[in-house]
Amino acid sequence: MVEVNHQYELLKKRLLIKFVVIVIGSLFISAMVYLLQYQIQKSNVTLLQDNTLLAAHNTFSRELGDVRKVVKLLVADEALKRHVSDAELEQQIQTHFVNFGLAADSISQIRWLDSQGQERYRVNFKAGKAQVVAPQQLQNKGNRYYFTEGIAHSKGDVYITPIDLNVERGVVVAPYEPTLRASYRTTNDTFVLDGLIVVNFDLSKTLQQIKSLSTLQAQIQLVNGEGYWLLNPDSKKEWGFMLDKPQLTLSEDDDQLWQTIAELPKTQQLITSHSRTTSFLKMNLGNNNDNALSNVIVLVKADKSVLREIFLWSFGIALACAVCLITIAGLYLKRSYRDQCQIIKATANLENEQQELVAANSKLQRYIKQQHQLQGELIEAQRLSSLGLMVAGVAHEMNTPLGGAAISVSNAQLINQQLKDKIDQGFTKQFLETSVERIADNLSLSKVNLDKAIAHVKSFKEMAHDRSNDQLVSFNIEKVTHDLLLGLKSRFKASKVTIETHIDVKQDITSRPGVISQIIESLIVNAISHAFNEHDTKQVQLAVYLESDNTLCIKVSDNGSGIDESLREQLFDPFFTTSRKHGHTGLGLYLVHQWVTSVLKGKISLVATNELPENIATQFKITLPISISTSANV
């Protein structure tokens, strides 16, 4: 046998070494496949992002170029330079502004402010219509940033302000109107008014066109020089600087990316920020200054799900590759192992079967020894007087499985002796197989019977432990009642009483299970002893459930002869009994009352006759808290 095991160990070691080498090689190949696939998929996303970034940049640059051309074309008209009468001048300028604004779809407003910031002429454009603002409605914009910066700008050049939302009378116009303002400085030596021409361009269509270029792999964002979003897939993050929401910035969302952008001005970089691939391009509005607000950053980010999909796709291919390689190698090694094992097993089967028989006999002896130990525990538990009624019932229930186990063991010993007798004479393979099978059947049957006997003993043991232990524990009331009724089973048979239970408590309760078991037993035994006549159809009902106020309710009922009304007041008095001649002391219900009220902090009552359910003659109702404070003393 030692030689056989040695051969098995050598075989297993050789095959295990081969398998480990194959697994390591397969994992290495799979890792290379994963890296290759991941880089390919990531490169495709990067290429798509670069193309999207270029398209968004071209769209925005084209719009900025058009803005400069439009403003220069507006101020080049002679209508702004002729010195004519005031009436003709006003009409001439307004007509020029109206005609020019209607010709350009993106213009939302044309104004001419004097050197103090007071609007002198203003035309609003909306939905293809022009509205000349009356003189009394003109406002002073001298404190607005676009006036102070535009008026200070060198003449002859177009000044473009940062992109923001249109504001009228101190309030952001709703719905939001993304606005780019272009101004041109006018002086008295050339124009009819010393001041600033300001043209508002509505960028709603331009931003929508840029946003339409977005995909999951390349989501476009526009950020101003301070890090606030002008365009974001989540519209709630846009225009934080106009809505007094300083937390809506790129630095708050991704500080690492924002620092990279700030350190690399006017440079396009492909970077990885956290779990996303990001491309960005920093643009200047063309004012030839270093003001951060003149910058617009075009960002192209991949959605979070994209890298996850790339990872899952690459990992799936790599995993499939590893599984295929390991499976093929495993099947080959398994077949090799099986073939070699069959050779080894053929010479060791008989010895193994005999060892199994010896092991089965040894296991049987252990079960018998364990049974004797459990029986000793039962004898010791008889010192508890409250368990005296249970001993006969448990012994009766154990008799059948123990008898069956003894018969099965005897049969196994007989077959084993027959097998030994045949060894010297010789026997056929069929005889050996039949003998081993019969021994296994008898041993299996004996184990089943012994397990049943052990279950009875364990149940009784748990109940005995509960009775001897007065500590508060968390327990299952259904298990406690089951153990109790199992011990009383023989008593029910001998008295010809049927017990009907309704247990509806799913949660554990914290109390004293031994005391509760003793109470239920005393009430049931009281019913068996006093409630029935000889020829009655004897039935006892036990119901346990939770009431609406989360208290435990226990009801013990019987259909016997009932209790006389004159006796109800004395029922729980000590030494009160109607069966003293039969040896009853009258302490049973008195002790039950004391246990319920003093130990378990509950209540017990005998249900009034007019409140009894149909076919019930007597009913005791007990209500207990489902959790007793640890300060309660027995």
Side-chain angles (χ1 to χ4, degrees):
M1 188 64 184
V2 175
E3 180 64 24
V4 172
N5 291 334
H6 181 65
Q7 293 178 11
Y8 275 125
E9 292 299 324
L10 290 177
L11 175 61
K12 289 179 180 179
K13 288 181 180 179
R14 289 197 301 268
L15 295 180
L16 182 60
I17 292 172
K18 291 181 181 179
F19 185 75
V20 170
V21 171
I22 292 173
V23 168
I24 294 174
S26 301
L27 294 177
F28 178 79
I29 295 173
S30 300
M32 295 299 101
V33 171
Y34 168 79
L35 292 176
L36 179 62
Q37 283 293 323
Y38 189 87
Q39 290 301 325
I40 291 174
Q41 297 297 324
K42 194 174 179 181
S43 298
N44 292 337
V45 172
T46 302
L47 180 61
L48 176 61
Q49 286 185 344
D50 290 343
N51 293 336
T52 304
L53 182 64
L54 182 61
H57 171 261
N58 291 340
T59 301
F60 199 80
S61 298
R62 184 169 59 251
E63 181 67 19
L64 290 179
D66 291 342
V67 166
R68 295 182 181 278
K69 293 178 183 178
V70 167
V71 173
K72 289 184 176 181
L73 185 61
L74 171 67
V75 301
D77 195 273
E78 291 297 322
L80 306 181
K81 304 176 182 179
R82 294 174 186 166
H83 294 275
V84 295
S85 64
D86 290 342
E88 292 178 349
L89 175 63
E90 181 176 350
Q91 182 63 35
Q92 182 177 282
I93 292 175
Q94 290 177 351
T95 301
H96 174 59
F97 283 177
V98 169
N99 293 335
F100 194 90
L102 292 175
D105 293 339
S106 58
I107 293 179
S108 62
Q109 192 178 84
I110 301 177
R111 291 172 290 175
W112 200 349
L113 289 71
D114 62 21
S115 60
Q116 302 303 315
Q118 178 63 41
E119 293 178 339
R120 299 290 296 275
Y121 305 96
R122 175 174 170 179
V123 182
N124 297 331
F125 301 90
K126 190 170 184 179
K129 295 181 180 181
Q131 178 193 6
V132 178
V133 178
Q136 62 271 21
Q137 295 181 345
L138 296 176
Q139 306 173 42
N140 188 292
K141 302 293 185 178
N143 61 343
R144 298 300 300 274
Y145 75 94
Y146 57 82
F147 173 79
T148 57
E149 294 177 4
I151 202 74
H153 199 66
S154 60
K155 63 180 181 179
D157 195 9
V158 178
Y159 176 77
I160 298 178
T161 66
I163 301 171
D164 60 9
L165 297 177
N166 191 23
V167 178
E168 290 295 339
R169 302 187 185 278
V171 179
V172 176
V173 176
Y176 299 153
E177 296 177 4
T179 301
L180 177 71
R181 299 175 184 85
S183 61
Y184 189 91
R185 180 74 167 90
T186 62
T187 57
N188 287 332
D189 57 347
T190 306
F191 295 86
V192 298
L193 179 63
D194 181 28
L196 192 69
I197 293 179
V198 181
V199 183
N200 289 11
F201 291 85
D202 186 356
L203 297 184
S204 299
K205 292 183 180 179
T206 302
L207 296 183
Q208 187 61 38
Q209 182 180 0
I210 293 175
K211 191 173 185 178
S212 65
L213 300 173
S214 295
T215 61
L216 278 178
Q217 292 83 2
Q219 294 184 334
I220 300 176
Q221 302 178 23
L222 293 182
V223 181
N224 69 8
E226 293 183 334
Y228 289 95
W229 278 290
L230 309 177
L231 183 66
N232 191 287
D234 183 2
S235 60
K236 294 180 181 179
K237 293 185 177 182
E238 298 173 353
W239 310 111
F241 65 101
M242 295 295 297
L243 304 176
D244 292 329
K245 296 181 178 179
Q247 73 277 12
L248 299 180
T249 62
L250 180 60
S251 62
E252 290 288 337
D253 187 72
D254 193 339
D255 184 64
Q256 181 182 355
L257 175 59
W258 176 247
Q259 291 300 325
T260 303
I261 293 173
E263 294 170 1
L264 299 172
K266 300 182 181 180
T267 304
Q268 180 181 359
Q269 286 289 326
L270 183 64
I271 64 173
T272 299
S273 172
H274 306 300
S275 61
R276 311 179 199 177
T277 299
T278 306
S279 300
F280 69 85
L281 182 67
K282 182 180 288 188
M283 301 172 53
N284 191 278
L285 297 178
N287 293 320
N288 297 321
N289 58 42
D290 294 327
N291 187 355
L293 292 175
S294 297
N295 294 328
V296 175
I297 298 97
V298 184
L299 282 173
V300 179
K301 279 189 174 185
D303 188 75
K304 292 181 180 180
S305 62
V306 173
L307 281 181
R308 185 167 60 252
E309 291 176 0
I310 292 176
F311 167 79
L312 293 177
W313 169 261
S314 304
F315 183 79
I317 293 178
L319 181 62
C321 179
V323 169
C324 289
L325 292 175
I326 294 174
T327 301
I328 293 173
L331 291 175
Y332 168 77
L333 294 177
K334 180 180 179 181
R335 181 174 180 180
S336 175
Y337 178 78
R338 183 182 59 206
D339 293 341
Q340 295 182 52
C341 283
Q342 286 178 350
I343 298 174
I344 298 174
K345 286 181 180 180
T347 59
N349 278 340
L350 182 60
E351 183 178 356
N352 288 340
E353 289 174 358
Q354 188 166 356
Q355 289 180 349
E356 289 175 0
L357 180 60
V358 172
N361 287 332
S362 176
K363 190 174 183 180
L364 178 60
Q365 294 300 322
R366 287 198 301 271
Y367 279 136
I368 294 174
K369 184 178 179 181
Q370 183 181 10
Q371 180 63 35
H372 288 317
Q373 292 174 346
L374 292 175
Q375 287 175 344
E377 292 177 4
L378 281 177
I379 294 172
E380 178 64 21
Q382 288 178 353
R383 67 185 182 84
L384 300 174
S385 61
S386 63
L387 299 179
L389 294 175
M390 306 295 174
V391 176
V394 172
H396 178 78
E397 293 298 323
M398 290 175 56
N399 185 54
T400 300
L402 287 178
I407 294 174
S408 299
V409 170
S410 298
N411 290 337
Q413 290 177 337
L414 179 60
I415 297 170
N416 188 42
Q417 184 61 44
Q418 293 175 352
L419 184 60
K420 289 181 179 179
D421 295 341
K422 285 286 187 176
I423 289 177
D424 296 334
Q425 303 173 9
F427 53 81
T428 63
K429 180 181 179 181
Q430 182 178 2
F431 177 79
L432 176 61
E433 291 176 348
T434 301
S435 300
V436 171
E437 182 178 356
R438 290 173 61 194
I439 291 173
D441 290 341
N442 279 280
L443 292 179
S444 175
L445 183 58
S446 66
K447 183 180 182 303
V448 170
N449 283 295
L450 289 175
D451 287 341
K452 289 181 180 179
I454 291 171
H456 286 302
V457 174
K458 285 183 177 179
S459 175
F460 183 78
K461 181 182 177 182
E462 290 177 5
M463 185 171 59
H465 176 267
D466 290 341
R467 295 286 179 88
S468 61
N469 182 15
D470 62 357
Q471 299 299 315
L472 290 173
V473 296
S474 179
F475 63 95
N476 185 291
I477 187 66
E478 185 173 3
K479 179 67 169 57
V480 170
T481 56
H482 175 269
D483 293 342
L484 172 63
L485 296 179
L486 186 63
L488 292 174
K489 191 173 181 180
S490 62
R491 181 68 179 267
F492 293 141
K493 290 181 179 179
S495 303
K496 298 181 180 179
V497 173
T498 58
I499 180 72
E500 182 179 340
T501 60
H502 300 280
I503 312 297
D504 187 19
V505 180
K506 303 303 180 183
Q507 67 185 75
D508 288 355
I509 65 174
T510 302
S511 188
R512 296 181 170 86
V515 178
I516 293 178
S517 175
Q518 181 69 65
I519 290 170
I520 297 175
E521 178 188 347
S522 297
L523 292 176
I524 292 176
V525 171
N526 182 73
I528 295 175
S529 301
H530 300 284
F532 304 109
N533 295 320
E534 184 65 27
H535 302 292
D536 287 344
T537 300
K538 306 173 184 179
Q539 186 180 59
V540 176
Q541 295 182 1
L542 172 62
V544 184
Y545 60 90
L546 291 179
E547 293 191 320
S548 57
D549 59 349
N550 212 26
T551 58
L552 182 70
C553 180
I554 303 174
K555 290 183 179 180
V556 178
S557 312
D558 65 71
N559 64 344
S561 55
I563 298 176
D564 191 274
E565 291 294 333
S566 61
L567 303 179
R568 287 177 174 264
E569 295 296 328
Q570 310 172 60
L571 201 59
F572 296 111
D573 292 343
F575 305 109
F576 175 77
T577 179
T578 58
S579 303
R580 196 173 302 277
K581 62 181 179 180
H582 296 296
H584 297 289
T585 63
L587 291 175
L589 292 180
Y590 169 75
L591 291 176
V592 168
H593 184 272
Q594 293 300 308
W595 289 330
V596 171
T597 57
S598 300
V599 179
L600 301 182
K601 308 303 179 184
K603 299 178 182 179
I604 182 171
S605 63
L606 179 63
V607 177
T609 305
N610 57 355
E611 297 177 2
L612 290 173
E614 186 179 357
N615 296 327
I616 295 298
T618 305
Q619 184 177 86
F620 289 93
K621 180 179 179 181
I622 300 171
T623 56
L624 304 173
I626 62 171
S627 180
I628 302 178
S629 171
T630 56
S631 62
N633 295 322
V634 177

